[in-house]
Amino acid sequence: MSSTRTALVITSISAPNAVLRSFAEGCTAHGIDFILIGDRPSPKDFSLGGCDFWGLDRQKTMPFQLAALLPERHYGRKNLGYLESIRRGAEVIVESDDDNFPREEFWGPRNRKQQASSFVDTGWVNLYRAFSTEPIWPRGFPLENLQHVVPDVPTAISVDVPIQQGLADANPDVDAIYRLTGKLPLDFDQREVPVSLGKGAWCPFNSQNTTFFSEAFALLYLPSYCSFRMTDIWRSYVAVRICWENGWDVLFHNATVWQERNAHNLMKDFADELIGYQNNKAICEKLQALSLKPGVEHIGDNMRACYAEFIAMGLVGEAERPLLEAWLTDLGALS
């Protein structure tokens, strides 16, 4: 992947499956730490060469305040994998899920400075449409904006992109409405030049094929006291907003995984996403109106301000505050 120390983080309740074995083999071949975070339903006897599995009991031995606070049976336990990667000295953290098969390109070099077509001051921009002629949109994109004309792709410029979203072919990350009405399976087109979100441009990103470089590690934080289907989406809104303050873009690049999706009840997904359909646009209006401070040293305070908005809107529970504080404290102890 690169000479930079890299870790892969996944959370799963599955026994070793074909995806996890593929990731373990690739990590072993490329010298990458593979940290897998389990949960209450995980097999007690989980064993997979090339994979460092952390069940609930082992998680309780972690030297992190957050380990004692995170709720069980929640995707947010993945936060412990990020912290463990950082504790081991990771400079780049890549994350995926247990139903995304990595292609050979997944293991290629990841560079923070890139040439990309940067969208600036566009408001909402559906970046999936830069990779497909199908009327597809990412999970978390406001339904109110689906009919808006997609802006022309700008000329490529040099951008600093410490957060990078890779797409997923076959079963891309879309919402329940698209899954119930749109074309699937679907493979994205390959672009010679990636696209990115600059200041004043919004598009959600997910946690299925995503890279974070060290200066942006704080923005990995996944909230726990919110809708399961929104945790990584609302994280992305916070990350995009704070990236603006630091002169960073968020990159979207060609698919390097393909998804063989785990079983889902689409109507349950729809119900869990309803709070997002109703509030995603308003959330980002609130975040955009915040007066935040530039500089890596202010990322923690900027995150507190963003999550205070979620809590004030009644979308994230008050119980999130101590988790966020524990996350920031744990990060500080690792720096």
Side-chain angles (χ1 to χ4, degrees):
M1 190 170 280
S2 74
S3 59
T4 303
R5 182 149 191 190
T6 302
L8 171 69
V9 177
I10 293 177
T11 184
S12 176
I13 59 173
S14 173
N17 62 17
V19 168
L20 295 176
R21 287 193 292 270
S22 182
F23 276 123
E25 291 167 3
C27 285
T28 299
H30 293 87
I32 294 168
D33 286 336
F34 180 13
I35 296 173
L36 182 65
I37 300 296
D39 209 330
R40 179 62 63 190
S42 297
K44 298 295 184 185
D45 59 349
F46 187 101
S47 178
L48 177 62
C51 169
D52 186 11
F53 176 73
W54 291 76
L56 276 183
D57 289 343
R58 191 179 179 207
Q59 290 170 33
K60 292 173 183 175
T61 70
M62 287 177 157
F64 310 129
Q65 291 186 18
L66 193 60
L69 300 177
L70 285 168
E72 295 180 6
R73 301 178 186 272
H74 197 283
Y75 193 74
R77 299 200 72 82
K78 197 175 189 180
N79 288 318
L80 297 177
Y82 307 145
L83 289 172
E84 177 62 16
S85 299
I86 297 165
R87 188 188 70 80
R88 296 184 186 188
E91 299 166 273
V92 175
I93 293 176
V94 183
E95 61 177 340
S96 191
D97 283 336
D98 64 4
D99 54 1
N100 287 274
F101 283 91
R103 292 196 174 120
E104 186 57 37
E105 297 89 341
F106 180 87
W107 307 108
R110 297 170 191 256
N111 300 309
R112 178 169 161 174
K113 298 292 179 68
Q114 302 234 13
Q115 291 289 313
S117 297
S118 175
F119 289 86
V120 177
D121 292 330
T122 57
W124 288 99
V125 54
N126 179 0
L127 291 188
Y128 275 18
R129 294 302 306 277
F131 295 85
S132 179
T133 57
E134 293 291 330
I136 188 172
W137 63 92
R139 179 169 54 92
F141 195 87
L143 301 180
E144 305 97 308
N145 288 70
L146 287 180
Q147 298 299 327
H148 288 192
V149 175
V150 179
D152 292 335
V153 176
T155 302
I157 61 171
S158 178
V159 290
D160 185 4
V161 281
I163 302 176
Q164 302 179 11
Q165 168 76 93
L167 303 187
D169 278 339
N171 232 311
D173 190 29
V174 292
D175 62 29
I177 291 178
Y178 183 86
R179 290 191 183 281
L180 290 163
T181 62
K183 174 185 175 181
L184 287 174
L186 181 148
D187 286 353
F188 289 105
D189 299 334
Q190 294 281 304
R191 292 188 57 85
E192 289 188 15
V193 177
V195 295
S196 64
L197 296 171
K199 189 168 186 177
W202 289 103
C203 186
F205 65 85
N206 59 54
S207 58
Q208 295 187 4
N209 182 14
T210 317
T211 303
F212 285 73
F213 288 74
S214 57
E215 276 195 308
F217 278 171
L219 300 175
L220 280 158
Y221 178 76
L222 291 160
S224 293
Y225 290 97
C226 65
S227 166
F228 170 78
R229 295 287 292 168
M230 291 294 106
T231 178
D232 59 338
I233 298 303
W234 289 352
R235 171 187 79 168
S236 79
Y237 296 162
V238 172
V240 168
R241 178 65 184 87
I242 293 174
C243 281
W244 295 355
E245 298 300 321
N246 291 281
W248 300 337
D249 276 29
V250 175
L251 192 79
F252 282 61
H253 65 75
N254 291 331
T256 56
V257 303
W258 61 274
Q259 185 181 82
E260 191 172 281
R261 196 174 196 236
N262 292 328
H264 278 248
N265 180 323
L266 290 181
M267 293 311 295
K268 183 181 185 302
D269 284 354
F270 172 82
D272 290 343
E273 291 168 359
L274 187 58
I275 195 168
Y277 299 141
Q278 295 171 317
N279 293 282
N280 286 337
K281 187 171 182 179
I283 289 167
C284 292
E285 289 172 354
K286 292 280 190 182
L287 296 182
Q288 187 154 349
L290 289 174
S291 178
L292 302 183
K293 297 177 181 178
V296 176
E297 69 275 16
H298 295 300
I299 287 179
D301 285 338
N302 289 342
M303 292 178 69
R304 292 183 182 98
C306 290
Y307 280 100
E309 286 293 336
F310 281 106
I311 293 168
M313 294 177 75
L315 303 177
V316 173
E318 182 67 37
E320 196 67 46
R321 290 187 198 271
L323 270 65
L324 177 60
E325 289 303 320
W327 166 261
L328 295 172
T329 298
D330 289 334
L331 280 180
L334 293 171
S335 62

